Amino acid sequence: MQDYAAWALEAVAAPGVQYADVRVVEEAHRALSTKNGKLGHISDLESLGIGIRVLRNGAWGFAATDDMSREGVIAAARHAVAIAAASARVKREGSVLAPEPAHQAVWHSPCAIDPFAIGVEQQVDLLLAVDAELRAVKGVTLAEADMDFRRQRQLFVSTDGARIEQARVLSGAGYAATSFGENEIQRRSYPNSFGGQFQLQGYELIGSLQLLENARRVGEEAVALHRAAQCPQLTGTLILDSSQLALQIHESIGHPIELDRVLGSEANFAGMSFLTLDKLGRLRYGSPLVNVVADARLEHGPGLGTFAFDDEGVAAQCTDIIRGGEFTGYISSRETAASIGQNRSNGCMRAESWNRIPLIRMTNISILPGATPLSPEELIADTEQGVYMETNRSWSIDDKRYNFQFGCEIGWEIQNGKRARMLKNPSYSGITTEFWNSLDAICSREHWTLWGTPNCGKGQPQQTMGTGHGAAPARFRNVKIGTAYRQE
Amino acid sequence: MTMTPLTAERPQLALDPEQARRIFRQVLAASRSEETEAIIHSTISELTRFANNAIHQNVAERTLSLSVRTVSGGRTARASTNRLDEASVRAVVARAEALAERQEPDPELLPMAEAQSYSAVAREIAATTALTPQDRAATVAEMVAIAERERMTAAGIMANSHSAFSILNSRGLEAHYRETSAEYSVTMLAADSSGWAKGNAPDVRQLDPVGGARRAMEKARLSAHPIEIPPGRYTVVLEPAAVLDLLGFLFWDFGGLAVLDQRSCLTGRVGTQLFGTNITVVDDVYHPLQSGAPFDGEGVPRQRVPLIENGVVRGLVFARPSAARAQREKPELNARPTGHGFPLPNEYGEAPMNIVMAGGDGDGEALIAGVSRGILVTRLWYIREVDPYRKILTGMTRDGTFLIENGQLTRGVRNFRFNQSVIEMLRQVERLGRAVRASGEESFDMVVPPLLVRDFNFTEVTKF
């Protein structure tokens, strides 16, 4: 890796080049799935490449290649310089980077059990056991289970003198039971929808998820939903489980605080943000119980957004995003921080792989748990009337992040402090700040989970990133419920 | 094995068939399996991105990947790499074999496809590969100039790519495809309004990015000071980009395996009159406005498949394995491989990827002229499936939503959230315009017309 990086750094030296950084990335990815008692797919992917980013006369260029011959790397580096020259043709004021020490570091994420050292037979056996439990429930028409493991090694060097080697291991697993019947498709997933739970851990994560133990219940719920009542349309009290709250955070806090969106960089694709610069320190984002951080440090937990340094060499940090309901911070890059007069990036530049530029991405954007002990059962007992929803089914929000609508896989009516009848097709909608201001209770630390969202898309060309979101079950008042099925 | 290196001076070329054959010979030499398949994919792509009237990101990428599938004793697995030295090629074959060996045999696993013959399609255009960063910057400069003249800000992309895709297997199948792609997208932002346009074609000379920038600017200008009108059911004119983004969520259900798995909204509905009689859709990779390889992930030639004929669900697409399964389990589907499978092994089966919807006459303006009161939708955003069987989709309008009164666009309106069954929508199409190649952000490019639809279900309004 050292040689590739050295060739690239040497080749970018050209008149006008103010800064360059180079990432050499080596990745391994294993994915397995089962479907209705058979192997769905089993695949193993490895990749090595280099991405070279150049700032020349205030304009950016980037080139990436997997031709790792000396000639290939040098050609890519020179091409990055040439592209920067073309960018200068349509520029306003030149880009300036907030300062960051030139870190020298080696960091490996904690990994107790290497998932790539576990035999695929063992992994497939567990998935097939889950599959059998799901299909043991009469009415389950489709059982799907999967596992996913990634190992990424990256060397980052820059013309500032930084040299950072990082290695991260990520694991994930989950399953879903689908039931077709009576002209309706119902589905239950565990531990979360769209692939399950993902964290910066080794195979030890899989053992902690209790996959097999929950399979029968999940299958039974999928079938029971056919007989459940349709979620009513009303304005009332809503309680969300922690996985759904995690996605609510992702969409209605995580994206709007991206400073590149705020400044218009994503206007053509991902959109912009209602959090214009005048709102920093002046907006009541949520109720006083809403405390949100962007925390990439290992102390926060093994999230998909946990690392030691971001992909432009800035050290991992914890930033207050919302403190006591007040909006206090964006997530930034060296360039965007400087452009709004901040003296340091808070370290949120991340690239999908060697072939993509780093963009401002969520790290672990988490709501802090309530300070007073409160369990989900106690929260429901404290609620006279409302709807409790679990596990995301659909999600959508406008391009400035005001209006959202979420659907969940399952809901229950709450009557006089108790879970009453099951509800199918539950959904809710609202306006971001109105919603967060209606939060009046959140469960405490022991019910807080750091969820992984492995598939966040952004950028042109698009790139996918894993983000972390810690959340505990929480209650919201005066929420519009059932809007997805509104037909008038 | 090296590709032509990236340089600013010379045209960039993706892998040619002879290079792919040389790689495959290495793969075969390393394989101990009964059957071996290699998929070799190379891409050189460049994209210039602008925002706030300046280029802020400008990237180039060169990738070459080798993906190997082996079959032995009814077991199969896939391993992939982007390292093409001799040791890495041997290693990737060994990894696929090791994964395959650790499985239980699958008695339904088919032998690999035999040699096929393919209809040629010509979608590799020198003018597109020749486009340089300076050329893209010059186009961006013209788009930005339009914004600056109107005191707007422009954001968007100008991109070109060249890719090659080869499948070869030990039964003698050999399929090669090379394609170029050029794309622009532009958003014009005014104080409280915006407009958008996008285009994609194999031949950059067929695109008109500056014309698109003008259209986007006009939309931003005309929709200034949007008013809020209440949600409800409205007659709408959906521009082609909005149509394709909705249809994109429907056509995954036309995969045969999705029906066999009972996860498709067409479960129990094949052969029925599900849509309006004015709806006819085919999957046709050979259509002159389409793009993509004329074969699937196993190298089976793609066929032209009627999907909807006059509103009747007429056909599904099938990969070889799902066609074989359908013949056993649901003979009434008359399944046959149509060349729409994904690379094996996979659990998704297949999907139509070259949607061509029959249109009528006239463009969007002709449709608008026939509306006494309604809404024009330029583009949709963040579409997600709310209900998989009723096929209710939710999403937002974006970048150019207008009130139509007496056949004219009268003013911009704040953006709506919709919750609309796409099945119901295709029963409520009153008029179709001329079909065009359209690009959106939520789905792959299609050939679709603008539509005039009655009773489109807007359920909420946002703040802008």
Side-chain angles (χ1 to χ4, degrees):
Chain A
M1 280 189 162
Q2 293 249 65
D3 286 348
Y4 305 137
W7 297 336
L9 270 193
E10 199 180 308
V12 295
V17 172
Q18 303 149 267
Y19 171 83
D21 57 32
V22 175
R23 287 177 303 107
V24 183
V25 182
E26 185 179 51
E27 292 178 316
H29 179 202
R30 178 186 292 175
L32 310 96
S33 74
T34 57
K35 190 174 104 175
N36 276 358
K38 290 177 67 170
L39 204 57
H41 72 261
I42 182 161
S43 65
D44 186 302
L45 186 146
E46 64 166 27
S47 153
L48 172 70
I50 187 167
I52 302 148
R53 195 173 67 138
V54 173
L55 183 62
R56 180 175 188 252
N57 293 329
W60 287 106
F62 174 85
T65 185
D66 55 7
D67 177 353
M68 302 305 278
S69 65
R70 187 184 175 109
E71 305 76 50
V73 169
I74 290 171
R78 290 185 178 154
H79 196 46
V81 175
I83 289 173
S87 300
R89 182 165 175 175
V90 190
K91 74 168 187 180
R92 294 196 304 173
E93 63 274 18
S95 297
V96 174
L97 304 181
E100 179 70 16
H103 300 283
Q104 310 284 317
V106 176
W107 186 82
H108 293 253
S109 69
C111 172
I113 307 169
D114 179 1
F116 293 91
I118 302 284
V120 288
E121 309 94 315
Q122 185 182 335
Q123 295 166 346
V124 170
D125 284 351
L126 175 55
L127 294 180
L128 288 173
V130 166
D131 179 285
E133 276 290 287
L134 294 174
R135 287 185 302 120
V137 178
K138 190 178 174 203
V140 170
T141 50
L142 181 62
E144 296 167 289
D146 55 78
M147 287 186 193
D148 193 279
F149 306 103
R150 287 170 197 270
R151 180 174 56 224
Q152 186 182 65
R153 280 181 60 219
Q154 174 170 295
L155 172 65
F156 172 92
V157 297
S158 75
T159 50
D160 287 349
R163 189 189 178 289
I164 300 165
E165 209 180 309
Q166 292 189 90
R168 300 171 82 233
V169 174
L170 302 115
S171 298
Y175 55 84
T178 304
S179 174
F180 173 79
E182 300 161 36
N183 287 331
E184 188 175 75
I185 296 170
Q186 291 292 347
R187 169 180 277 226
R188 283 293 283 137
S189 308
Y190 181 86
N192 201 355
S193 45
F194 305 106
Q197 168 67 316
F198 295 79
Q199 286 193 334
L200 187 74
Q201 291 202 63
Y203 202 71
E204 62 273 18
L205 172 72
I206 310 305
S208 72
L209 293 176
Q210 299 188 294
L211 295 172
L212 196 53
E213 294 85 339
N214 284 279
R216 188 64 67 104
R217 170 184 63 81
V218 167
E220 288 169 353
E221 286 179 354
V223 176
L225 280 165
H226 288 293
R227 301 187 302 275
Q230 172 70 26
C231 178
Q233 289 171 39
L234 54 90
T235 299
T237 297
L238 171 69
I239 297 178
L240 297 178
D241 82 316
S242 64
S243 68
Q244 173 56 32
L245 189 63
L247 191 60
Q248 177 78 48
I249 293 166
H250 179 99
E251 299 293 356
S252 67
I253 297 177
H255 279 305
I257 62 172
E258 294 164 346
L259 192 48
D260 54 349
R261 272 179 179 271
V262 173
L263 298 174
S265 297
E266 295 289 327
N268 176 246
F269 180 60
M272 296 180 67
S273 172
F274 71 94
L275 287 175
T276 46
L277 296 176
D278 56 302
K279 295 192 172 66
L280 184 62
R282 297 191 186 92
L283 174 73
R284 175 151 280 285
Y285 207 121
S287 75
L289 292 174
V290 179
N291 292 286
V292 174
V293 295
D295 195 345
R297 302 169 310 157
L298 195 54
E299 297 95 292
H300 190 70
L304 293 189
T306 301
F307 48 75
F309 298 90
D310 79 356
D311 289 338
E312 56 176 7
V314 177
Q317 297 163 49
C318 176
T319 303
D320 280 333
I321 300 298
I322 303 171
R323 194 187 311 133
E326 300 290 339
F327 172 50
T328 54
Y330 296 107
I331 54 176
S332 65
S333 61
R334 294 181 66 186
E335 182 178 2
T336 56
S339 75
I340 66 164
Q342 295 184 342
N343 57 14
R344 192 186 182 201
S345 160
N346 57 16
C348 295
M349 285 288 268
R350 307 176 67 195
E352 178 182 313
S353 188
W354 53 267
N355 60 345
R356 293 285 183 272
I357 54 168
L359 299 173
I360 294 178
R361 304 306 302 255
M362 292 174 232
T363 54
N364 301 307
I365 312 295
S366 301
I367 189 166
L368 301 182
T372 314
L374 182 66
S375 69
E377 296 75 25
E378 289 166 332
L379 181 58
I380 287 171
D382 182 56
T383 305
E384 196 173 328
Q385 203 159 37
V387 176
Y388 170 62
M389 298 186 195
E390 255 184 34
T391 318
N392 182 263
R393 187 163 99 175
S394 66
W395 67 105
S396 175
I397 188 163
D398 72 46
D399 58 285
K400 291 186 181 170
R401 305 274 153 177
Y402 285 108
N403 177 286
F404 62 80
Q405 178 182 293
F406 291 94
C408 288
E409 288 185 345
I410 193 166
W412 283 270
E413 225 167 34
I414 300 169
Q415 293 282 4
N416 302 317
K418 291 194 166 57
R419 269 199 214 201
R421 60 180 182 157
M422 183 186 284
L423 299 174
K424 67 181 172 188
N425 308 324
S427 64
Y428 66 97
S429 61
I431 296 292
T432 293
T433 49
E434 293 170 13
F435 182 77
W436 286 107
N437 274 283
S438 76
L439 185 150
D440 79 340
I442 181 163
C443 292
S444 46
R445 169 68 65 180
E446 57 276 33
H447 307 287
W448 187 91
T449 304
L450 183 50
W451 291 100
T453 301
N455 54 354
C456 177
K458 186 177 178 182
Q460 295 161 302
Q462 195 169 5
Q463 41 183 316
T464 301
M465 183 55 66
T467 64
H469 305 288
R475 184 173 64 194
F476 301 83
R477 302 290 194 182
N478 299 312
V479 178
K480 279 201 267 184
I481 290 170
T483 35
Y485 282 77
R486 185 173 155 183
Q487 291 299 311
E488 64 270 21
Chain B
M1 175 59 58
T2 57
M3 291 163 62
T4 307
L6 280 169
T7 70
E9 295 78 32
R10 56 198 294 187
Q12 301 158 2
L13 297 174
L15 211 63
D16 66 36
E18 189 46 46
Q19 290 171 308
R21 285 185 200 109
R22 280 208 298 272
I23 294 171
F24 184 59
R25 283 197 288 272
Q26 290 180 58
V27 169
L28 270 188
S31 175
R32 295 177 291 109
S33 298
E34 293 163 16
E35 295 184 328
T36 306
E37 171 196 271
I39 297 180
I40 301 154
H41 196 195
S42 67
T43 303
I44 296 173
S45 59
E46 305 215 348
L47 185 148
T48 300
R49 198 173 189 211
F50 56 104
N52 295 310
N53 292 347
I55 293 173
H56 66 311
Q57 293 165 11
N58 206 346
V59 302
E61 170 189 357
R62 170 242 188 257
T63 61
L64 170 59
S65 67
L66 165 66
S67 185
V68 174
R69 182 168 77 96
T70 61
V71 172
S72 269
R75 303 169 175 93
T76 190
R78 178 172 294 283
S80 306
T81 185
N82 69 345
R83 303 170 78 164
L84 276 294
D85 58 273
E86 213 174 301
S88 297
V89 171
R90 276 200 308 271
V92 74
V93 175
R95 280 176 17 236
E97 290 177 333
L99 289 175
E101 280 164 9
R102 292 174 194 161
Q103 299 168 29
E104 292 299 314
D106 176 0
E108 290 166 8
L109 184 68
L110 297 176
M112 289 183 180
E114 295 179 332
Q116 310 277 328
S117 57
Y118 305 99
S119 302
V121 289
R123 290 165 181 158
E124 188 184 27
I125 309 295
T128 303
T129 55
L131 207 65
T132 67
Q134 291 288 350
D135 296 332
R136 295 194 304 275
T139 303
V140 170
E142 287 187 74
M143 292 195 270
V144 164
I146 291 167
E148 288 176 335
R149 276 198 295 275
E150 299 292 327
R151 297 176 183 235
M152 294 183 186
T153 54
I157 61 159
M158 182 69 207
N160 58 315
S161 69
H162 187 196
S163 58
F165 176 50
S166 297
I167 302 180
L168 306 98
N169 74 27
S170 53
R171 291 171 70 88
L173 181 145
E174 193 174 309
H176 303 280
Y177 177 67
R178 289 156 69 89
E179 179 176 77
T180 51
S181 173
E183 182 165 291
Y184 80 91
S185 179
V186 58
T187 303
M188 289 286 184
L189 298 161
D192 58 5
S193 62
S194 57
W196 172 86
K198 183 175 181 180
N200 174 297
D203 187 344
V204 67
R205 295 167 299 186
Q206 291 172 352
L207 295 184
D208 181 11
V210 177
R214 270 192 218 101
R215 286 201 308 282
M217 178 274 290
E218 278 297 318
K219 289 204 168 192
R221 199 171 56 75
L222 287 171
S223 60
H225 316 307
I227 58 164
E228 180 173 330
I229 63 172
R233 288 196 176 262
Y234 285 87
T235 294
V236 294
V237 173
L238 302 173
E239 292 201 349
V243 173
L244 90 89
D245 277 342
L246 291 167
L247 292 190
F249 281 78
L250 179 63
F251 283 97
W252 294 96
D253 293 60
F254 279 79
L257 190 58
V259 172
L260 295 171
D261 287 344
Q262 300 184 97
R263 59 187 157 87
S264 164
C265 71
L266 302 180
T267 306
R269 289 166 163 171
V270 176
T272 67
Q273 178 84 46
L274 192 59
F275 309 106
T277 54
N278 54 358
I279 304 301
T280 292
V281 179
V282 298
D283 185 82
D284 185 6
V285 74
Y286 308 103
H287 189 283
L289 295 178
Q290 271 292 355
S291 57
F295 52 86
D296 72 1
E298 271 197 283
V300 176
R302 287 198 197 281
Q303 296 177 14
R304 183 182 185 276
V305 179
L307 301 172
I308 304 172
E309 277 181 356
N310 302 319
V312 175
V313 179
R314 186 58 68 201
L316 304 174
V317 296
F318 287 93
R320 291 171 70 239
S322 39
R325 189 180 143 194
Q327 285 158 9
R328 288 192 304 273
E329 296 177 13
K330 281 196 175 292
E332 68 274 20
L333 292 176
N334 295 318
R336 59 194 165 82
T338 59
H340 289 82
F342 301 127
L344 296 173
N346 75 76
E347 60 272 40
Y348 302 110
E350 59 282 301
M353 306 298 283
N354 296 95
I355 301 298
V356 178
M357 181 174 181
D361 297 325
D363 56 13
E365 285 183 19
L367 300 186
I368 291 166
V371 176
S372 58
R373 182 177 163 82
I375 304 293
L376 172 71
V377 176
T378 297
R379 172 191 190 189
L380 297 171
W381 165 246
Y382 222 131
I383 305 172
R384 291 293 180 275
E385 185 178 86
V386 165
D387 188 301
Y389 198 70
R390 293 168 65 186
K391 216 67 191 172
I392 299 172
L393 306 179
T394 192
M396 301 295 303
T397 65
R398 178 175 174 182
D399 296 330
T401 308
F402 294 88
L403 181 64
I404 306 169
E405 292 174 299
N406 301 319
Q408 305 268 333
L409 299 186
T410 50
R411 62 183 312 161
V413 295
R414 285 190 173 181
N415 287 297
F416 289 106
R417 170 168 298 289
F418 63 88
N419 280 281
Q420 173 65 53
S421 160
V422 69
I423 296 172
E424 179 194 73
M425 181 188 92
L426 292 177
R427 291 173 185 154
Q428 294 169 180
V429 173
E430 300 219 317
R431 206 174 146 196
L432 304 90
R434 187 172 51 250
V436 297
R437 179 178 171 89
S439 298
E441 299 292 6
E442 303 270 352
S443 187
F444 46 87
D445 293 354
M446 295 179 190
V447 180
V448 290
L451 298 179
L452 195 164
V453 180
R454 69 174 184 277
D455 294 331
F456 195 88
N457 191 28
F458 293 123
T459 51
E460 291 185 336
V461 185
T462 191
K463 300 282 188 187
F464 60 97

